[in-house]
Amino acid sequence: MSASKDSAVSKDKVLGVTRPGIKNDEVLDFYKKWSKEYDKDLDGEEYGGPRKVAQALAASLGDGRDVRVLDVAAGTGLCGLELSKLGFTNVDALDASQEMLDVAKTKNVYTNFIKEFLGPNRLNIDDDTYDSMTACGLFCDGHVGPDCLEQLIRVVKPGGFICIGLREVLLHTSEACKDLEPRMGALQSEGQWQQVHREVFPGYCVGFEGVVYVYKVL
């Protein structure tokens, strides 16, 4: 198959698993079937988001690498792999798909694996467990909405960073994302965290621009 056809297939799969109206159980079934081909379909050329999110955390921490990080919506471990390349060695993975986590385990870049679905439900993680967090690709239809933000903040220590990446267009087109920035702003007004960086960048995923946020937990 040609590179252009590969790219078209990858885009079709990305759009398929995040299509408007898709349900959580449909998403999990999609990833169950896609898990073994996911990395091949979304190589570094097709999916630059994980690299950007990992770099955002590294830049926020300066030389600090001796930190405990939670990679949420870890999937097959692409963000964890980028974190490992940057010198992070104490990273846990959280994802709702066991099949995706099984692939992530083969990369040998994570310490612990947590199978949970993000939402308003309380995660089985103690308060202030992690020094920082990465979250790439979690906000989209059928995946995660802004009602999980309090849980992300709760498990990160004050002073820690939360780095979030997603397709920028979803802020305007996705029911799951339209309230994301307003909720981020409300949590800032409540004194829970402070935005330190926001950047729109090219090459996030299959031709889409991305947006990366860095928040400091207060």
Side-chain angles (χ1 to χ4, degrees), residues 4-37:
S4 61
K5 287 184 179 179
D6 283 339
S7 181
V9 169
S10 301
K11 188 170 184 177
D12 285 346
K13 289 181 178 179
V14 169
L15 295 179
V17 77
T18 61
R19 68 182 184 273
I22 193 170
K23 306 300 183 186
N24 293 154
D25 58 344
E26 293 178 283
V27 169
L28 289 176
D29 187 58
F30 198 113
Y31 282 130
K32 182 177 182 178
K33 297 171 181 175
W34 193 14
S35 58
K36 290 182 172 59
E37 301 296 321

Side-chain angles (χ1 to χ4, degrees), residues 100-192:
M100 297 288 270
L101 285 175
D102 288 344
V103 176
K105 289 178 183 178
T106 67
K107 292 182 171 61
N108 297 313
V109 295
Y110 293 112
T111 304
N112 299 296
F113 297 85
I114 305 165
K115 182 181 176 294
E116 285 206 53
F117 198 94
L118 282 167
N121 52 293
R122 183 179 176 87
L123 294 171
N124 189 27
I125 300 172
D126 291 338
D127 295 357
D128 305 336
T129 293
Y130 291 96
D131 299 298
S132 286
M133 176 185 290
T134 52
C136 187
L138 72 165
F139 292 109
C140 49
D141 288 285
H143 289 61
V144 179
D147 58 1
C148 77
L149 290 174
E150 288 90 338
Q151 283 301 301
L152 303 188
I153 293 169
R154 181 183 65 78
V155 303
V156 174
K157 298 173 184 176
F161 295 99
I162 298 177
C163 302
I164 297 170
L166 66 149
R167 273 181 279 155
E168 195 275 338
V169 69
L170 295 178
L171 297 173
H172 319 290
T173 62
S174 169
E175 286 297 314
C177 299
K178 67 179 184 179
D179 295 326
L180 179 59
E181 288 195 335
R183 187 63 192 142
M184 287 172 160
L187 291 169
Q188 179 163 305
S189 297
E190 294 169 14
Q192 295 201 41

Side-chain angles (χ1 to χ4, degrees), residues 32-60:
K32 182 177 182 178
K33 297 171 181 175
W34 193 14
S35 58
K36 290 182 172 59
E37 301 296 321
Y38 187 90
D39 287 2
K40 178 177 71 68
D41 289 340
L42 294 179
D43 62 17
E45 295 297 317
E46 293 287 351
Y47 192 18
R51 184 182 310 112
K52 187 70 172 182
V53 170
Q55 290 172 345
L57 179 60
S60 300

Side-chain angles (χ1 to χ4, degrees), residues 54-63 65 132 161 163 196-197 214-215:
Q55 290 172 345
L57 179 60
S60 300
L61 292 170
D63 294 331
R65 295 293 182 273
S132 286
F161 295 99
C163 302
V196 296
H197 185 68
V214 179
Y215 278 88

